[in-house]
Amino acid sequence: MKIFVANIPFYVGGVGIRQLFELFGAVAAVKIITETKTGKSKGFGFVEMQDDQQGLQAIKELDGSTIGDRDIVVRLADQQPEEVHIHRRPRISVR
């Protein structure tokens, strides 16, 4: 089960997110999305859990919970809220 996690504090890495989700079961993978140039966290990522029931329990328990000073958003990966999607204008290069 692939889970979307948003509003992650920038200082929390993949290891911290893995440890949090492992409280609910086996974690297959964690991916924190980072800026290409700087490598800094964008504040969201994905967790893949091996068992769907454990994943659903993690979503239920962790959505809205606080890490540091932020309330995280935890959803099924295909149920991301619209306001989380980033819409960018195309870049125009003028020479």
Side-chain angles (χ1 to χ4, degrees), residues 8-24:
I8 302 169
F10 298 114
Y11 59 84
V12 176
V15 172
I17 296 298
R18 176 180 290 275
Q19 290 172 343
L20 181 63
F21 278 81
E22 283 178 340
L23 296 172
F24 300 93

Side-chain angles (χ1 to χ4, degrees), residues 65-84:
S65 65
T66 303
I67 299 178
D69 61 346
R70 293 183 175 212
D71 294 338
I72 62 172
V73 175
V74 183
R75 305 262 192 271
L76 283 173
D78 59 345
Q79 293 183 339
Q80 297 175 23
E82 282 300 314
E83 63 272 10
V84 174

Side-chain angles (χ1 to χ4, degrees), residues 3-86:
I3 300 170
F4 173 74
V5 186
N7 209 27
I8 302 169
F10 298 114
Y11 59 84
V12 176
V15 172
I17 296 298
R18 176 180 290 275
Q19 290 172 343
L20 181 63
F21 278 81
E22 283 178 340
L23 296 172
F24 300 93
V27 174
V30 175
K31 174 69 177 165
I32 302 297
I33 307 304
T34 58
E35 293 284 343
T36 305
K37 292 182 180 180
T38 64
K40 292 182 180 179
S41 170
K42 288 187 173 186
F44 70 95
F46 298 90
V47 174
E48 205 162 326
M49 298 207 53
Q50 293 180 3
D51 181 89
D52 287 354
Q53 285 305 112
Q54 292 172 343
L56 291 171
Q57 187 64 32
I59 291 168
K60 180 180 174 184
E61 296 290 329
L62 294 176
D63 185 40
S65 65
T66 303
I67 299 178
D69 61 346
R70 293 183 175 212
D71 294 338
I72 62 172
V73 175
V74 183
R75 305 262 192 271
L76 283 173
D78 59 345
Q79 293 183 339
Q80 297 175 23
E82 282 300 314
E83 63 272 10
V84 174
H85 293 288
I86 300 171

